[in-house]
Amino acid sequence: MTHAALSARMDGLRSSAIRDLLTLTARPDVISLAGGLPDPDFIPRERISKAAHDALGDPSSVQYGETSGLRRLREVIAERESSKIGRALDVSEVVITHGSQQGLSLLAQVLLDAGDVVVVEEPAYTGALQVFRTAQARLVPVQLDEDGMDTDALEAKLAAGLRPKVVHTVSNFHNPRGAVLSAQRRAHLAALADRYGFWVLEDDPYGELYFGEKPPAPLAALSDRVIRLSSASKVLAPALRVGWLHGDRKVCEAVELIKQGADLCGSSLTQQIAADLFSDVEWFETHLDKLREGYGARAKALVTAAETELSGRARFSEVRGGMFCWMDFVDDVDTTELLGAALEHGVAFVPGSAFAVEADLGRSARLCFATYPEALLVDAVGRLRKSVTAGTA
């Protein structure tokens, strides 16, 4: 049988290591620290149920909607985002997407031609890598530390002649590194965008999940060259599939045009639900406080146990919010090989190599603390220690 040829953009494209890993870790005996999955007990199912019931009383909730999204939801998002960026955001600048991942994909189609340069952080968010590789972009990594992307290193590359079309950053509680881009580096990155004319894609699904100090003002407050993306998945429910982006009006209009060919429109029902929940300000702020308290306690439990159980063997990132902790082994431990032993001991994580562009991240790993209560996280760390011991015995 002759097989049909696939498009050139499929060359070298591979499935997300994390999505593949979730299949392996679906066993009930495995405590999975691999996926960035919110705990279902932290998802406000009763409140969502009420909002769904109310929405279904409106016939428009089961009908096609505007490509750019339900106007009421765009108004709510515009109001919330205006308070963050310090200027009035017009509804026409907001596009509702099928999760922020679709927003990233649509922006890549609007902004990138094959061969264009995209600067990504390293370690990098795997979903972004998939999007940019599909767009056939040339990826140039810039290292990051606890203060986020090293903007001095980026400036050196620019001074040497690099001309990116796009710079992508997960500015708050980075996935997978957990870092927060400092206020100084935000200002520096915004100034570089203005000077060199590239777009900054500010990917911020975790910014509301801070455990102590609130992150600095968004990059979108500092430059018109910033397109900001966020999502309801981490603060309400992934199944709503509600994300959004805002920025330059011409870019938003182009995104809307491409989106017409992608899905015509999103779900009127889930967008009405999201609008209901976000607009109930008192309820939503109380809900966020519960998430911050709950996830913060889990982060502390995981890191405390890990620093005790793996003392002298590994270093762990400071966790100030979000869902992830980054682990670096100080000795010669290959985390891809370690994963096999870990699964035998009933625990899973994502090896660092899944987030690599050029760097060797073979001794690193991402741990998610969001999915399980503290006691299970402590148990998971104990299993991880046994797998390390077994693998190096």
Side-chain angles (χ1 to χ4, degrees), residues 274-291:
D276 185 336
L277 271 61
F278 279 129
S279 63
D280 189 348
V281 176
E282 184 177 352
W283 172 84
F284 184 62
E285 290 303 320
T286 300
H287 170 65
L288 282 178
D289 286 341
K290 291 177 181 177
L291 291 182

Side-chain angles (χ1 to χ4, degrees), residues 178-195:
V180 177
L181 188 63
S182 69
Q184 180 180 358
R185 288 185 177 179
R186 289 175 197 235
H188 190 196
L189 179 56
L192 292 174
D194 290 341
R195 187 191 315 168

Side-chain angles (χ1 to χ4, degrees), residues 69-211:
L70 183 75
R71 183 173 181 85
R72 182 182 171 217
L73 178 57
R74 286 187 289 134
E75 289 172 346
V76 172
I77 296 301
E79 183 176 355
R80 288 186 57 79
E81 290 290 309
S82 293
S83 66
K84 294 177 182 179
I85 66 175
R87 68 172 178 84
L89 190 64
D90 192 87
V91 173
S92 65
E93 298 174 79
V94 177
V95 179
I96 305 300
T97 57
H98 192 75
S100 60
Q101 184 70 20
Q102 186 194 44
L104 196 57
S105 179
L106 294 172
L107 284 167
Q109 293 177 69
V110 165
L111 299 176
L112 297 174
D113 292 312
D116 280 345
V117 173
V118 174
V119 169
V120 295
E121 295 157 325
E122 189 164 45
Y125 167 51
T126 56
L129 294 181
Q130 278 192 307
V131 163
F132 299 137
R133 284 169 175 153
T134 301
Q136 299 177 285
R138 180 165 74 89
L139 300 181
V140 175
V142 171
Q143 298 301 308
L144 74 163
D145 55 29
E146 293 291 348
D147 290 323
M149 178 187 289
D150 184 345
T151 54
D152 287 336
L154 173 60
E155 184 173 26
K157 290 178 183 291
L158 296 169
L162 184 71
R163 291 297 178 267
K165 183 72 73 68
V166 162
V167 172
H168 176 264
T169 177
V170 182
S171 53
N172 295 320
F173 316 119
H174 183 269
N175 178 6
R177 185 65 170 73
V180 177
L181 188 63
S182 69
Q184 180 180 358
R185 288 185 177 179
R186 289 175 197 235
H188 190 196
L189 179 56
L192 292 174
D194 290 341
R195 187 191 315 168
Y196 289 95
F198 55 78
W199 294 104
V200 176
L201 304 188
E202 181 183 22
D203 210 345
D204 185 24
Y206 309 103
E208 302 272 21
L209 298 178
Y210 51 87
F211 304 151

Side-chain angles (χ1 to χ4, degrees), residues 197-249:
F198 55 78
W199 294 104
V200 176
L201 304 188
E202 181 183 22
D203 210 345
D204 185 24
Y206 309 103
E208 302 272 21
L209 298 178
Y210 51 87
F211 304 151
E213 186 178 352
K214 190 175 181 179
L219 283 156
L222 305 174
S223 172
D224 293 337
R225 302 293 303 175
V226 177
I227 310 296
R228 179 169 159 79
L229 305 95
S230 194
S231 170
S233 293
K234 305 303 187 292
V235 295
L236 290 178
L240 292 176
R241 304 313 301 136
V242 169
W244 56 88
L245 61 88
H246 64 79
D248 182 272
R249 196 165 304 188

Side-chain angles (χ1 to χ4, degrees), residues 342-353:
L343 287 169
E344 290 180 4
H345 286 83
V347 63
F349 54 83
V350 184
S353 57

